[in-house]
């Protein structure tokens, strides 16, 4: 066997193998590797975006919690102010009702006092007429002397 011819045949076979591999095998492998590299890069950038969005979400959640706490405190203070107003209104209403009851009681006392005075005047007038009748030893007619008895009762 000829060593040169074998070497040349092997070189041609190897060249053909390299051409075939580069054309039909290497291109899809390189394409698959590039696609995989792009997917990995995309996944890494998506992960980075996810971390950034997570940080933004946490920051937004903290802001929302602060706002919610502020609103809760504001609502609580409004409720306390309203409760104080209701208590104050109740006090004012109670005072007004108490004053109204006192005024009604005073009016009732005044009416009772006037009625008692009138009754007393009539009794005093009757007693005075009776006393005058005994003093004069004659009967004094109450109807005949009504004006005199009324003026005497008013003086008392």
């Amino acid at each position: 066997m000829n060593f040169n011819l074998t070497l040349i045949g092997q070189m041609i076979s190897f060249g053909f193998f390299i051409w075939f591999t580069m054309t039909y095998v290497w291109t899809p492998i390189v394409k698959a590797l590039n696609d995989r590299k792009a997917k990995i890069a995309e996944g890494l950038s998506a992960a980075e975006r996810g971390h950034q969005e997570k940080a933004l979400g946490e920051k937004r959640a903290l802001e929302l919690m602060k706002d919610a706490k502020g609103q809760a405190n504001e609502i609580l203070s409004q409720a306390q102010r309203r409760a104080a107003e209701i208590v104050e209104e109740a006090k004012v209403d109670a005072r007004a009702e108490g004053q109204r009851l006192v005024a009604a009681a005073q009016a009732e006392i005044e009416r009772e006092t006037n009625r008692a005075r009138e009754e007393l005047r009539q009794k005093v007038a009757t007693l005075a007429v009776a006393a005058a009748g005994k003093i004069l030893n004659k009967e004094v007619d109450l109807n005949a002397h009504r004006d005199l008895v009324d003026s005497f009762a008013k003086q008392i």
Side-chain angles (χ1 to χ4, degrees):
M1 213 179 192
N2 193 354
F3 181 70
N4 287 338
L5 188 60
T6 304
L7 186 63
I8 292 174
Q10 285 180 349
M11 285 184 359
I12 290 173
S13 295
F14 189 69
F16 178 73
F17 178 73
I18 289 177
W19 172 80
F20 180 79
T21 305
M22 293 291 278
T23 305
Y24 295 107
V25 177
W26 191 256
T27 305
I29 290 174
V30 169
K31 185 179 182 232
L33 287 173
N34 287 336
D35 289 345
R36 177 111 172 124
K37 184 179 177 181
K39 284 182 182 179
I40 289 171
E42 185 180 314
L44 288 174
S45 67
E48 184 63 33
R49 281 194 312 266
H51 285 296
Q52 289 174 352
E53 287 178 7
K54 178 186 170 195
L56 287 174
E58 288 174 352
K59 185 178 178 182
R60 213 174 306 133
L62 286 174
E63 289 174 1
L64 288 174
M65 285 177 58
K66 285 179 184 177
D67 289 344
K69 284 181 182 179
Q71 288 176 350
N73 287 336
E74 184 177 327
I75 289 170
L76 185 62
S77 66
Q78 286 177 353
Q80 288 173 343
R81 281 194 303 266
R82 182 62 184 140
E85 288 174 3
I86 290 172
V87 167
E88 222 22 70
E89 288 174 5
K91 285 180 183 178
V92 168
D93 290 346
R95 284 187 191 119
E97 181 67 17
Q99 289 174 351
R100 187 187 65 76
L101 289 174
V102 166
Q106 287 175 343
E108 181 66 25
I109 290 170
E110 187 68 31
R111 280 193 301 272
E112 285 296 316
T113 304
N114 288 339
R115 189 184 59 75
R117 281 185 187 156
E118 242 350 276
E119 245 181 67
L120 224 102
R121 281 185 191 148
Q122 288 175 356
K123 286 183 181 180
V124 167
T126 305
L127 285 174
V129 168
K134 284 186 180 184
I135 291 174
L136 295 175
N137 280 331
K138 69 179 189 175
E139 189 173 320
V140 177
D141 185 15
L142 185 61
N143 291 330
H145 299 98
R146 170 78 53 201
D147 292 334
L148 183 62
V149 170
D150 286 340
S151 67
F152 178 69
K154 287 181 182 177
Q155 287 176 2
I156 297 176

